[in-house]
Amino acid sequence: MSGLIVLAFAGLLMQEVAPHPSTQAAYRAPVIRPFEPGRDFAREPAQGDADSELYRRPLEAPVAVEAYVRSYEYTPSDIEAAYEQGVTSAEIRADQAAGRLDGAWRLVDAAGRRLYDLVLSDPGVGAVEGGWRGPAGWGPATSDGATLTLEGVGAMTLERTGSGWRGQWTVGGETVPASLIRPN
């Protein structure tokens, strides 16, 4: 009988803590990728670019600054320019789709002292998820748009102000004014 009790107690001690469940969907490749040129892209040289050197020759002697007439680098090729444009366009679309809480934040008290650092993922619709770290450790953070909850620490009501948020930070029944600001 005592062996059964010991086994049950050992089983309780060996239990692992489950990870925080995420409500976000697993990553899927986008329908339209940032840069996928067509089959005939850049097959014929652009007008005016056919006779130029693609890469700079190695230096054989020191070059004075006055030797550069306009630019220090060669003009990017059509493929390089299209790739940069595709990446920039994808970044702009991702930023436009993100919600107002997306990114890095700092929770500060009324005197401006840092309480916690947060990183939040706001898809624009649905739940906001992320994480926090501070003197008490680290953990998951969630928001429904009206309240920000730092699991294991406290919660803050959210009211939009300019480029940040302000509200009431509640920890252990005590409520104090606080703000969410972007870190420098």
Side-chain angles (χ1 to χ4, degrees), residues 51-121:
D51 295 333
S52 66
E53 294 181 40
L54 184 57
Y55 299 103
R56 185 180 305 182
R57 293 184 315 273
L59 293 177
E60 298 168 358
V63 179
V65 174
E66 293 80 22
Y68 290 103
V69 178
R70 290 189 201 133
S71 175
Y72 291 94
E73 298 294 331
Y74 277 83
T75 307
S77 69
D78 289 344
I79 292 177
E80 291 170 336
Y83 176 79
E84 289 297 324
Q85 184 179 13
V87 169
T88 302
S89 174
E91 183 180 0
I92 290 170
R93 284 193 312 270
D95 289 344
Q96 289 172 342
R100 296 183 297 180
L101 281 170
D102 194 69
W105 293 94
R106 181 165 288 154
L107 179 61
V108 296
D109 62 11
R113 291 184 300 260
R114 176 172 45 181
L115 301 174
Y116 297 97
D117 290 319
L118 299 97
V119 176
L120 300 173
S121 174

Side-chain angles (χ1 to χ4, degrees), residues 11-29:
L12 288 174
L13 290 177
M14 296 182 66
Q15 288 182 352
E16 294 183 16
V17 177
H20 185 271
S22 175
T23 59
Q24 292 185 340
Y27 173 78
R28 291 180 301 173

Side-chain angles (χ1 to χ4, degrees), residues 151-176:
E151 285 192 23
V153 178
M156 176 181 171
T157 58
L158 296 174
E159 179 185 325
R160 185 84 169 146
T161 60
S163 63
W165 300 81
R166 70 174 173 220
Q168 298 298 316
W169 173 243
T170 305
V171 177
E174 182 181 336
T175 302
V176 295

